[in-house]
Amino acid sequence: MSPSRRLAALAGTVLLALAAAGCGVTDASSPDEPAIVRVAAASDLQLALPEVLEEIDPDVEVAVTYGSSGQFVQQIVNGAPFDLYLSADTGYVDRLVEAGAAEDADTFTYATGRLVLWVPQDSPIDPTKGLEVLTDPGVRRVALANPEHAPYGRAAAAALTAAGLDDDLADRIVLGENVSQALDLVASGGADAGIVAASLVAAGPMADQGRWWQLPPSAHPPLVQGGAVLSGARDVEATHAVREALLSAEGQDVLRRYGFGPAPQTEEG
């Protein structure tokens, strides 16, 4: 199975887990059954989060759905049954607080996302030349996440604008619904290069499948990532356990290994 298909299979597995968890559940877990925490997570966590969750108490079961941070907001406001929201942009967390779906005291930041220009291993494109390489005639398609609801797509579009390349590349851009789909477009041959999350290529199955160059933080608005324990959480204690695993020293070490930077409040020291 190709690396891109492994990513798709992983996403499908967690969707099935969520569907199973949502069938026939009651408002509270039985004392004799594991607590099930339903997580809506940004797709850039697709590889790192499963490792973080390995440290969770075995009595706590976690069902994760990965997708676009912005699309999750609308789903949660409309009553989607999630307990924990992990976004690639704290602005979306603020929207949930404004909508009454979470309390400000239950929000937190956990990492800073990083953008990379990524090409397959056998590509003639040299990503270390920076974004300007995307104007080469051999680059026919450039993949981004959809800027309308994906924070990484919005940051990528801002980087192209700042570099003065948005008009030159307007006819070459192809969009994935989220940053994982943008990477899949490149890995499957649907695009020649992509501006994607470092967390999806720095470690894991894609680490040896391509070459990449990290965009400087000054090239785009910061991708400060945050989350919230949602007001409708069924098992608050179990949900907090998942949050604490992400914020723990062990959880932060996993995130760093997958290319995330620290959240702003943890940068000192």
Side-chain angles (χ1 to χ4, degrees), residues 229-252:
V229 175
L230 299 173
S231 299
R234 294 175 304 166
D235 190 322
V236 174
E237 183 177 353
T239 304
H240 276 267
V242 177
R243 182 192 70 176
E244 292 310 310
L246 189 66
L247 298 178
S248 70
E250 295 79 7
Q252 291 293 298

Side-chain angles (χ1 to χ4, degrees), residues 44-56 66 110-112 114 198-200 202-204 244-262:
D44 68 328
L45 289 166
Q46 193 166 294
L47 298 178
L49 188 58
E51 285 197 31
V52 172
L53 297 179
E54 289 176 3
E55 303 302 318
I56 294 290
Y66 297 97
Y110 61 86
T112 298
R114 290 170 172 160
S199 62
L200 297 177
E244 292 310 310
L246 189 66
L247 298 178
S248 70
E250 295 79 7
Q252 291 293 298
D253 283 344
V254 171
L255 294 182
R256 279 193 291 273
R257 182 155 48 81
Y258 277 91
F260 288 99

Side-chain angles (χ1 to χ4, degrees), residues 123-222:
S123 171
I125 301 165
D126 181 2
T128 64
K129 292 182 177 179
L131 296 179
E132 289 288 343
V133 76
L134 299 177
T135 62
D136 288 356
V139 181
R140 297 162 301 168
R141 295 286 183 270
V142 180
L144 315 179
N146 192 327
E148 291 188 6
H149 48 246
Y152 278 90
R154 191 161 56 249
L160 292 177
T161 298
L165 300 175
D166 46 343
D167 289 339
D168 292 338
L169 299 178
D171 294 335
R172 305 188 194 187
I173 299 298
V174 292
L175 301 177
E177 280 301 293
N178 53 61
V179 73
S180 178
Q181 288 188 16
L183 175 60
D184 191 59
L185 281 169
V186 188
S188 64
D192 303 295
I195 304 176
V196 299
S199 62
L200 297 177
V201 300
M206 300 302 291
D208 60 354
Q209 300 300 311
R211 293 172 287 113
W212 49 273
W213 168 76
Q214 184 174 307
L215 277 66
S218 59
H220 58 84

Side-chain angles (χ1 to χ4, degrees), residues 112 114 224 261-269:
T112 298
R114 290 170 172 160
V224 180
Q265 73 269 29
T266 64
E267 287 182 344
E268 295 183 1

